[in-house]
């Protein structure tokens, strides 16, 4: 699993990267009330916004950790955005991206480097 | 003189001592001398309350009111009957000296009133939700257009030429800087031909904007135009008169995605143009595109029902440059005014206001038809406002005013092709005698 | 018990108002309007007049308001709203004018507006004023449109506006609405604009600087002259957010500090009531070189008559469907007349006195990040209470239990756990002392019994509300039950 400085995690499985926000981010945001998801099939570019995540008091943009095509979004979040708070690293995942260039994934932060950022 | 300042000279000394300065001037010391105002403001000296009251009252008396005259003016603001109870409630300091309900525990009064306003507007317009209010009709329409362009990611907007021309000018000022391309759709016989809209629709069009009833008083084929717009993937914005909705089908049922408009007809004094209240309602899919404040019902720690500002993350104080709008102050007190009006009038009352306005306007038309020289340029259905053509319209309007009647608005202000045409509105407030007198006088001036 | 909704109080057959009987011959609407345009259902309540009066009276009693108690909401200037102004706004000669009446029948109204324009021009040191904008944020929008029109005319290619990080949220939002990009400028250790940061971001693409002075920390930026000079050096314009004018009225004028454009909030400085969130009024003033861009219509006096001039070629066009929130303007006009030149100066004198008096006392109990004389407001930090597990939010909520409104909290964002306190000039020393004592008491309570704060408020009509559920499953329309 890799991380970004925008407090997202990314997990590569074959050519699909699953993306979510980290425990730290979920805690900082507080009660998540809405997740704006991209359309299936839409193209995303590394470092560019692909959606927003809204809590009671704030909205944050989400940035694509890798470039590629959105192949699946977490439909559960529409009815139950609290999943992001309850299980940010697992059931609260946000999108799956089919990677265009797997080298991008390798440039993301390791867990140890990410932890340094959060300190 | 220290008007409205309660501090006594002794207290002033005590306070300066506590701060550790000699004079109030010392507290302004960091303003560089060259930036300080030298001498006094060039304004009159202050005065007592009765002196001010006398002067301001005098100024107010240098106006003729709609009660001194008889008012047949409309064009977006209407002279309706206003129940006395409304102002007594608005004058409660607990309402009008409160701020935006940022601390919900001590703002339940304002919050619940807004929830009621949102519900009333939703019901009246046939929409899924409404916000807590906009400034007034024109800016509400501007925000509706911004919602549509953001939602569709398209930037062309078709505006019927029968939409209030003052609103169209405001759209021109406020929508075009964001790259919105406003395209005017011309009318024939007082309404826009849906075929004309069809011609101009494309996959570039974010929305079509129409008014219901339109500025010329006529009822557009909202339903047909909405169908065509939706086929092209455009949203439908309807600018509606809330009183007309006492009689007319909801824009929601006719296919509108966003309904906005001027709330002044809902018991708000004419006030020379403001403060009024804009309303904005929309279909569910547009919830997160709504600008401004929205109140939601929820529960407190004890499970008791309560109200809060909700979905605030859309708003400027949180999203800053990414907010859906910059609106902060809205028109809460005027929304309360409209809410009290709708509560007092109720289902039967609003229906009757609408129905009487309709009846009296149609009576006026029948009576005017008997006057030689009067013609009606448009043949379509109308609600309580209509276009009347008379020879030498401006001159006749002037004479009517001298005889105590504001007889109409000259339309060549905005429409070069409607010379000698005037816009006449009739509300439930006009009596048969007033209408008869209008027709008699007008006939006399046209033919005299 | 919770107050029912009007829909719950509705009883079929009830009428709250009786109209005069219809006195013209009736026709069938169905003969004149196609049936598909006539509605069947009308989901409005039916209530008696007394039920309506009691419902809204009961609701009003659930509000905190200036008339009930202290309202130290920073940057909102919750001063007393003189009662006589309400009478002036209700004079029939003002309240009962139709906006489309012939000019000769509204001469008194136009004279009032013109006089108010002149007074505000004098107070701000600007050359021309428009009264049209309906609120502060609309004033900002108007000012920025003027800025854009100026640059367009000069052929300048400008895309960015600089805003200090302490600025009001409406500033960046207004920039976005005219298509300008926002460049954030840092604050320096004294709380002013960091000049070096500004210099490093200054360039030919800068359309202007938007700034509040004194800023939202309540501090006057002494460098304003230099800031204005720097921005002017790239042909940028300097915009004054007048939300905090209550601090310097009659003492200093934005026009003399180098500002090109100013907006005012009449519902703050000029005592017009906030009405639970509006209506306000946000007049905009400009220097001579920008006058031609002001919204139309303009009010002109030809020596005999007041006229509305709509043919202004360079105007940004109207920003509202009328001349402005007229009756709000009447109230401000009355306020300026009663106060006069010396009264207005006193307003700011006592507003600043009150703020400094409180600040000196409260800084002994709470952290004061910028310890220098403030203007009309000051910002404390509640971060010292974190060790007890208490947040600024808890202090704010506890204040409600003692009959005070809370300060503005968590703004400005550059101060951690901020509390922004603005007393205004209309509060007495007794009230200020009482508030300070309560704040001190709450600070002691935070140490001794923090639960009291975390559970607060307990004496208000409702306790803390579930905002998460409100936003997750919005119930915002009685007729539509949340999913």
């Amino acid at each position: 699993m890799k991380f970004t400085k925008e407090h997202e995690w990314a997990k590569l499985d074959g050519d699909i990267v699953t993306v979510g926000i980290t425990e730290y981010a979920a805690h900082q945001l507080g009660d998540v009330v809405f997740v704006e998801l991209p359309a299936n099939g839409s193209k995303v570019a590394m470092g560019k916004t692909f959606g927003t995540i809204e809590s009671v008091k704030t909205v944050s943009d989400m940035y694509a950790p890798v470039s590629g095509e959105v192949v699946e979004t977490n439909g559960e979040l529409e009815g139950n955005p609290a999943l992001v708070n309850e299980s940010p690293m697992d059931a609260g995942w946000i999108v799956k991206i089919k990677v265009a260039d797997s080298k991008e994934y390798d440039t993301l932060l390791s867990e140890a480097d990410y932890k340094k950022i959060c300190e | 003189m220290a008007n409205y300042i309660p501090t006594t000279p002794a207290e002033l000394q005590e306070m300066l001592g506590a701060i550790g300065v000699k004079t109030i001037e010392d507290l302004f010391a960091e303003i560089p001398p060259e930036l300080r105002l030298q001498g006094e403001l060039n304004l009159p000296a202050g005065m007592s309350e009765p002196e001010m009251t006398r002067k301001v009252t005098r100024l107010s008396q240098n106006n003729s009111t709609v009660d001194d005259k008889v008012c047949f003016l409309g064009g977006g603001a209407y002279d309706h009957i206003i129940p006395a109870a409304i102002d007594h409630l608005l004058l409660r300091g607990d309402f009008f000296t409160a701020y935006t309900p940022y601390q919900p525990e001590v703002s339940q009064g304002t919050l619940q009133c807004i929830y009621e306003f949102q519900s009333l507007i939703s019901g009246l317009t046939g929409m899924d939700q409404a916000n807590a209010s906009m400034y007034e009709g024109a800016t509400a329409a501007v925000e509706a257009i911004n919602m549509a362009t953001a939602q569709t990611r398209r930037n062309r907007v078709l505006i019927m030429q029968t939409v209030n021309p003052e609103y169209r000018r405001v759209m021109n000022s406020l929508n075009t800087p964001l790259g919105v391309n406003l395209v005017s759709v011309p009318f024939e016989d007082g309404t826009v031909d849906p075929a004309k809209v069809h011609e101009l629709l494309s996959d570039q069009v974010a929305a079509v904007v129409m008014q219901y009833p339109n500025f010329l008083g006529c009822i557009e084929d909202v339903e047909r135009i909405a169908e065509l717009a939706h086929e092209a993937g455009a949203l439908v914005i309807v600018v509606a008169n809330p009183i007309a909705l006492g009689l007319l089908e909801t824009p929601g049922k006719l296919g509108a995605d966003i309904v906005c408009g001027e709330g002044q007809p809902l018991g708000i004094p004419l006030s020379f143009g403001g403060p009024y209240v804009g309303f904005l309602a929309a279909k569910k899919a547009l919830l997160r595109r709504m600008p401004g404040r929205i109140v939601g019902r929820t529960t407190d720690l004890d499970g008791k029902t309560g109200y809060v500002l909700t979905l605030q993350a859309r708003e400027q104080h949180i999203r800053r440059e990414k907010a859906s709008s910059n609106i902060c102050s809205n028109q809460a007190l005027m929304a309360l005014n409209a809410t009290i009006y709708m509560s007092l009038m109720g289902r039967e009352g609003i229906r009757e206001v609408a129905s009487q306005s309709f009846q009296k306007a149609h009576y006026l038309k029948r009576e005017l038809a008997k006057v030689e020289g009067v013609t009606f340029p448009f043949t379509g259905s109308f609600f309580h406002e209509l276009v009347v053509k008379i020879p030498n319209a401006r001159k006749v309007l002037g004479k009517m005013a001298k005889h105590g009647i504001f007889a109409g608005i000259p339309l060549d202000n905005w429409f070069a092709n409607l010379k000698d045409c005037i816009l006449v509105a009739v509300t439930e407030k006009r009596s048969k005698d007033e209408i008869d007198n209008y027709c008699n006088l007008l006939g006399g001036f046209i033919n005299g | 018990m919770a107050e029912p909704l009007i829909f719950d109080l509705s009883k079929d057959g009830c009428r709250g108002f009786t109209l005069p009987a219809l006195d013209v011959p009736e026709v069938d609407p169905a003969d004149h309007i196609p049936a598909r345009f006539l509605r069947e259902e009308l989901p409005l309540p039916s209530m008696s007049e007394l039920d309506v009066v009691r419902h809204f009276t009961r609701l009003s009693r659930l509000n905190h308001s200036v008339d009930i108690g202290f309202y130290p909401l920073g940057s909102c200037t919750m001063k007393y709203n003189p009662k006589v102004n309400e009478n002036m706004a209700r004079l029939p000669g003002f309240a009962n004018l139709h906006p489309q009446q012939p000019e000769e029948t509204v001469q008194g109204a136009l004279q009032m507006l013109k006089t108010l324009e002149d007074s505000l021009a004098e107070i701000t040191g600007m050359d021309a004023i428009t009264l049209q904008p309906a609120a502060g944020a609309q004033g900002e929008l108007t000012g920025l449109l003027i800025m854009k029109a100026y640059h367009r005319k000069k052929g300048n290619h400008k895309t960015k506006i600089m805003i200090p990080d302490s600025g009001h949220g409406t500033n960046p939002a207004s920039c976005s609405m005219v298509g300008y990009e926002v460049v954030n400028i840092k604050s320096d250790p004294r709380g002013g604009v960091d000049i070096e940061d500004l210099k490093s971001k200054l360039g030919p693409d800068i359309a202007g600087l938007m700034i509040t002075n004194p800023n939202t920390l309540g501090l006057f930026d002494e460098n304003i002259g230099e800031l204005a000079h720097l921005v002017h050096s790239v042909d940028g314009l300097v915009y004054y957010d007048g939300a905090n004018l209550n601090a310097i009225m009659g003492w200093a004028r934005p026009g003399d500090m180098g500002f090109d454009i100013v907006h005012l909030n009449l519902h703050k400085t000029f005592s017009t009531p906030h009405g639970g969130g509006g209506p306000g009024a946000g007049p905009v003033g400009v220097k001579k070189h920008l006058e031609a861009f002001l919204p139309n219509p303009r009010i002109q006096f030809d020596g005999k008559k007041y006229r509305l001039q709509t043919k202004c070629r360079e105007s940004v066009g109207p920003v509202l469907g009328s001349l402005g929130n007229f009756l709000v303007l009447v109230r401000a006009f009355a306020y300026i007349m009663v106060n006069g030149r010396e009264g207005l100066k006193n307003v700011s004198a006592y507003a600043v006195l009150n703020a400094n008096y409180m600040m000196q006392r409260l800084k002994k109990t709470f952290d004061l990040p910028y310890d220098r004389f403030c203007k009309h407001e000051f910002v404390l930090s509640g971060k010292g209470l974190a060790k007890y597990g208490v947040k600024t939010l808890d202090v704010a909520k506890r204040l409600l239990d003692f009959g005070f409104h809370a300060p503005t909290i968590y703004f400005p964002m550059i101060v951690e756990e901020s509390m922004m306190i603005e007393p205004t000039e209309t509060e007495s020393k007794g009230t200020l002392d009482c508030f300070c004592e309560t704040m001190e008491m709450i600070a002691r309570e935070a140490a001794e019994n923090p639960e009291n704060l975390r559970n607060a408020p307990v004496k208000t009509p409702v306790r803390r509300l579930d905002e998460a559920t409100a936003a997750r499953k919005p119930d915002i329309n009685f007729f539509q039950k949340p999913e």
Side-chain angles (χ1 to χ4, degrees):
Chain A
M1 190 178 280
K2 296 274 194 178
F3 297 83
T4 71
K5 61 177 175 23
E6 280 88 20
H7 305 286
E8 285 158 18
W9 55 265
K11 201 162 90 183
L12 184 67
D13 187 3
D15 61 349
I16 304 291
V17 167
T18 306
V19 182
I21 67 166
T22 63
E23 296 250 16
Y24 176 85
H27 182 74
Q28 289 293 315
L29 278 171
D31 293 329
V32 171
V33 299
F34 184 70
V35 183
E36 189 189 24
L37 298 164
N40 272 341
S42 56
K43 296 265 189 287
V44 296
M46 185 179 188
K48 300 278 185 233
T49 65
F50 69 81
T52 58
I53 185 160
E54 181 180 329
S55 69
V56 171
K57 296 289 181 199
T58 189
V59 184
S60 295
D61 286 318
M62 294 182 290
Y63 300 88
V66 292
S67 306
E69 184 187 326
V70 175
V71 289
E72 195 183 344
T73 58
N74 188 352
E76 288 283 304
L77 298 179
E78 271 175 46
N80 186 13
L83 263 185
V84 176
N85 294 111
E86 289 157 12
S87 176
M89 308 293 285
D90 187 19
W93 66 275
I94 291 164
V95 288
K96 294 190 185 201
I97 299 169
K98 184 173 182 183
V99 290
D101 176 3
S102 61
K103 277 186 216 129
E104 282 181 353
Y105 182 79
D106 299 333
T107 65
L108 300 176
L109 300 172
S110 68
E111 184 162 3
D113 288 342
Y114 175 67
K115 279 196 170 144
K116 273 182 214 152
I117 290 178
C118 296
E119 273 158 17
Chain B
M1 196 185 284
N3 292 293
Y4 315 124
I5 294 173
T7 312
T8 65
E11 286 172 332
L12 169 62
Q13 289 315 314
E14 242 183 282
M15 292 167 82
L16 289 171
I19 299 168
V21 292
K22 286 208 169 59
T23 66
I24 288 182
E25 302 260 339
D26 297 342
L27 298 172
F28 290 85
E30 85 278 26
I31 303 182
E34 69 276 14
L35 298 185
R36 296 257 199 103
L37 180 64
Q38 306 303 321
E40 290 185 306
L41 287 169
N42 182 19
L43 290 176
M47 61 184 80
S48 66
E49 180 175 301
E51 289 167 306
M52 179 277 285
T53 303
R54 198 176 314 129
K55 282 180 191 259
V56 175
T57 305
R58 287 254 166 82
L59 263 183
S60 79
Q61 286 162 345
N62 198 15
N63 299 314
S64 305
T65 72
V66 292
D67 295 327
D68 301 331
K69 311 264 178 177
V70 181
C71 180
F72 289 85
L73 306 178
Y78 301 91
D79 187 24
H80 288 289
I81 292 169
I82 301 176
I86 296 177
D87 203 37
H88 287 269
L89 291 166
L90 292 182
L91 272 169
R92 289 191 63 86
D94 332 57
F95 280 134
F96 83 83
T97 74
Y99 192 69
T100 303
Y102 284 138
Q103 294 291 341
E105 297 88 345
V106 290
S107 310
Q108 287 296 301
T110 296
L111 287 162
Q112 185 170 335
C113 291
I114 295 174
Y115 180 87
E116 291 176 352
F117 175 77
Q118 290 171 183
S119 302
L120 289 165
I121 293 296
S122 305
L124 204 55
T125 56
M127 289 281 115
D128 295 327
Q129 77 255 334
N131 76 359
S133 75
M134 309 303 297
Y135 303 132
E136 38 79 87
T139 45
V142 165
E143 297 275 12
I145 290 172
N146 285 341
M147 283 171 71
T149 52
Q151 177 79 0
T152 58
R153 295 169 196 263
R154 301 174 177 184
N155 69 355
R156 189 175 300 168
V157 175
L158 305 185
I159 318 266
M160 310 303 120
Q161 227 179 39
T162 51
V163 170
N164 190 326
E166 294 295 331
Y167 289 21
R168 286 190 282 132
R169 293 175 62 202
V170 176
M171 291 169 190
N172 199 42
S173 313
L174 302 183
N175 289 121
T176 45
L178 281 176
V180 178
N181 177 8
L182 302 169
V183 180
S184 246
V185 189
F187 62 88
E188 294 159 40
D189 194 18
T191 54
V192 171
D193 181 355
K196 196 83 210 165
V197 179
H198 189 61
E199 267 170 44
L200 293 165
L201 277 165
S202 72
D203 61 4
Q204 306 290 304
V205 175
V208 298
V209 185
M210 56 195 136
Q211 189 172 325
Y212 175 66
N214 72 24
F215 185 73
L216 303 172
C218 302
I219 298 173
E220 302 278 0
D221 195 345
V222 176
E223 204 172 17
R224 182 68 193 128
I225 295 173
E227 276 171 21
L228 294 168
H230 287 153
E231 280 168 21
L235 295 180
V236 175
I237 298 173
V238 172
V239 179
N241 176 337
I243 284 296
L245 297 183
L247 187 69
L248 301 183
E249 183 56 279
T250 64
K253 281 218 174 123
L254 299 175
D257 298 290
I258 306 175
V259 184
C260 58
E262 176 52 69
Q264 179 278 332
L266 299 170
I268 297 175
L270 285 163
S271 318
F272 200 39
Y276 292 169
V277 60
F279 62 86
L280 182 69
K283 289 271 167 71
K284 196 166 196 127
L286 292 158
L287 174 61
R288 281 183 161 74
R289 302 276 180 205
M290 301 276 287
R293 293 172 188 141
I294 295 175
V295 168
R297 180 161 60 169
T298 184
T299 49
D300 77 354
L301 286 171
D302 296 332
K304 189 178 172 185
T305 296
Y307 301 84
V308 288
L309 291 175
T310 191
L311 305 167
Q312 289 189 76
R314 301 163 293 110
E315 290 189 67
Q316 50 76 26
H317 63 283
I318 292 175
R319 282 228 95 183
R320 297 174 76 89
E321 67 265 30
K322 287 177 183 164
S324 52
S325 163
N326 73 336
I327 191 167
C328 178
S329 282
N330 56 16
Q331 306 282 116
L333 195 69
M334 310 325 290
L336 173 62
N337 183 325
T339 304
I340 300 171
Y341 175 84
M342 287 186 270
S343 306
L344 276 172
M345 285 296 179
R347 190 185 311 141
E348 298 308 315
I350 297 275
R351 254 193 204 288
E352 199 180 336
V353 170
S355 156
Q356 285 209 16
S357 299
F358 167 87
Q359 293 292 348
K360 288 175 175 177
H362 284 72
Y363 173 72
L364 173 94
K365 186 175 181 186
R366 291 199 301 277
E367 291 304 301
L368 273 183
K370 299 172 190 164
V371 176
E372 203 176 320
V374 171
T375 54
F376 304 100
F378 308 128
T379 56
S381 303
F382 69 102
F383 169 59
H384 75 336
E385 197 164 20
L386 69 158
V387 177
V388 178
K389 188 166 185 181
I390 50 176
N392 301 315
R394 282 185 177 263
K395 219 179 202 171
V396 172
L397 285 180
K399 285 185 186 166
M400 292 287 279
K402 286 214 175 78
H403 283 75
I405 297 177
F406 293 139
I409 305 172
L411 284 168
D412 59 1
N413 280 347
W414 305 284
F415 302 93
N417 56 346
L418 293 182
K419 196 176 174 305
D420 283 334
C421 290
I422 61 172
L423 187 62
V424 185
V426 194
T427 67
E428 82 289 358
K429 196 168 163 183
R430 301 283 71 85
S431 67
K432 178 171 180 296
D433 285 350
E434 288 170 344
I435 298 170
D436 289 341
N437 188 36
Y438 180 102
C439 297
N440 289 336
L441 270 178
L442 194 78
F445 292 135
I446 292 174
N447 301 309
Chain C
M1 209 186 79
E3 174 65 21
L5 290 163
I6 44 177
F7 309 102
D8 303 321
L9 294 165
S10 172
K11 208 164 63 186
D12 280 347
C14 263
R15 288 290 292 263
F17 190 77
T18 310
L19 288 168
L22 183 69
D23 57 356
V24 301
E26 214 168 334
V27 295
D28 185 354
D31 292 340
H32 296 267
I33 296 177
R36 64 196 172 110
F37 291 122
L38 293 173
R39 86 187 282 164
E40 312 234 310
E41 303 272 315
L42 187 60
L44 297 178
S46 301
M47 296 167 76
S48 72
E49 178 170 336
L50 179 57
D51 280 347
V52 171
V53 168
R54 283 193 178 146
H55 170 69
F56 288 101
T57 303
R58 284 192 301 255
L59 282 180
S60 75
R61 292 170 63 175
L62 305 179
N63 274 357
H64 186 80
S65 67
V66 174
D67 281 5
I68 290 171
F70 191 39
Y71 219 130
L73 205 53
S75 260
C76 299
T77 315
M78 297 300 289
K79 61 171 72 177
Y80 172 62
N81 310 133
K83 297 297 173 193
V84 68
N85 297 352
E86 296 307 304
N87 293 2
M88 298 302 97
R90 284 166 173 82
L91 288 167
F94 287 141
N96 299 334
L97 303 179
H98 190 284
Q100 297 288 348
Q101 278 183 217
E103 266 167 25
E104 53 276 15
T105 66
V106 292
Q107 287 294 304
L110 295 177
Q111 186 183 343
M112 188 285 291
L113 293 172
K114 187 74 187 143
T115 314
L116 179 59
E117 281 185 4
D118 293 345
S119 304
L120 295 176
E122 171 64 17
I123 291 166
T124 55
M126 306 307 278
D127 296 315
I129 300 275
T130 175
L131 300 170
Q132 209 175 73
Q138 233 218 348
E140 292 176 13
L141 186 59
T142 306
L144 290 166
L145 287 171
I146 291 169
M147 204 182 271
K148 214 171 176 180
Y150 166 84
H151 289 309
R152 191 184 308 119
K153 189 186 173 193
K154 292 196 72 179
N156 291 343
H157 294 287
K158 305 279 196 179
T159 53
K160 294 174 182 163
I161 302 267
M162 298 195 286
I163 299 176
D165 54 11
S166 60
H168 292 111
T170 46
N171 293 174
S174 300
C175 288
S176 296
M177 290 191 74
V178 298
Y180 277 136
E181 207 180 302
V182 174
V183 181
N184 278 303
I185 307 294
K186 284 190 228 145
S187 297
D188 71 11
R190 276 176 57 74
V193 172
D194 183 333
I195 291 204
E196 291 313 313
D197 191 45
L198 181 135
K199 278 184 188 160
S200 74
K201 290 168 180 166
L202 200 62
D205 55 348
I206 295 296
L209 167 70
M210 253 184 132
I211 185 170
T212 312
N213 196 21
N215 63 18
T216 56
L217 296 165
L219 305 174
F220 189 87
D221 200 318
E222 309 96 319
N223 299 325
I224 188 61
E226 190 187 345
L227 293 172
H229 179 74
L230 283 168
V231 175
H232 285 152
S233 73
V234 295
D235 202 12
L237 296 176
V238 194
Y239 183 102
Y240 183 86
D241 176 334
N244 294 348
L245 187 73
N246 212 48
I248 56 166
M249 190 164 47
W251 293 82
R253 308 190 303 173
D256 301 335
M257 297 177 204
F259 285 97
D260 304 286
I261 309 173
V262 171
H263 91 258
L264 302 175
N265 301 70
L266 299 188
H267 45 292
K268 295 181 179 176
T269 316
F270 296 91
S271 85
T272 74
H274 283 77
V284 168
V286 294
K287 288 284 179 61
K288 198 84 200 162
H289 63 290
L290 300 173
E291 184 175 1
F293 303 116
L294 285 172
N296 57 27
R298 304 280 304 134
I299 301 162
Q300 287 174 342
F301 183 56
D302 65 9
K304 278 188 196 148
K305 282 184 98 178
Y306 292 88
R307 293 178 194 284
L308 290 176
Q309 179 58 259
T310 50
K311 292 190 180 68
C312 318
R313 207 168 41 85
E314 295 182 313
S315 165
V316 297
V319 295
L320 203 69
S322 70
L323 294 177
N325 277 343
F326 178 71
L327 296 183
V328 175
L329 302 169
V330 170
R331 290 173 173 94
F333 180 72
Y335 180 76
I336 292 172
M337 280 182 89
V338 165
N339 276 291
R341 54 178 178 257
E342 71 283 32
L344 293 177
K345 189 173 179 184
N346 263 333
V347 162
S348 289
Y350 283 81
V352 170
L353 173 80
N354 284 357
N356 278 287
Y357 176 71
M358 291 176 85
M359 186 181 82
Q360 288 305 325
R361 178 161 173 182
L362 287 174
K363 77 177 191 191
K364 293 169 194 148
T365 310
F366 293 88
D367 288 302
L368 177 67
Y370 300 95
D371 190 0
R372 46 186 270 211
F373 287 140
C374 63
K375 293 272 91 47
H376 65 307
E377 66 189 1
F378 59 99
V379 177
L380 297 173
S381 170
K383 67 179 178 192
L385 302 177
K387 55 180 175 284
Y388 311 118
V390 166
K391 295 191 231 122
T392 279
L393 178 71
D394 304 319
V395 175
K397 296 299 182 195
R398 189 63 174 143
L399 276 168
L400 306 180
D401 275 334
F402 295 95
F404 294 110
H405 197 278
T408 296
I409 52 174
Y410 300 108
F411 187 85
M413 295 173 199
I414 56 173
V415 172
E416 210 183 320
E417 294 287 310
S418 57
M419 285 182 270
M420 185 193 210
I421 299 175
E422 179 180 10
T424 84
E425 73 284 1
T426 59
E427 297 298 332
S428 68
K429 177 173 175 294
T431 301
L432 306 183
D433 287 339
C434 187
F435 178 81
C436 291
E437 269 160 39
T438 307
M439 286 285 281
E440 289 156 1
M441 202 269 292
I442 290 172
R444 283 195 303 276
E445 203 178 31
E448 292 157 11
N449 205 346
E451 275 308 299
N452 282 5
L453 274 70
R454 288 195 290 264
N455 282 327
V458 291
K459 293 180 188 163
T460 47
V462 292
R463 295 179 60 202
R464 288 193 202 187
L465 291 142
D466 182 353
E467 295 185 46
T469 304
R472 281 173 183 160
K473 297 186 171 14
D475 172 3
I476 57 180
N477 170 9
F478 173 80
F479 299 107
Q480 204 148 77
K481 292 283 162 279
E483 284 146 19

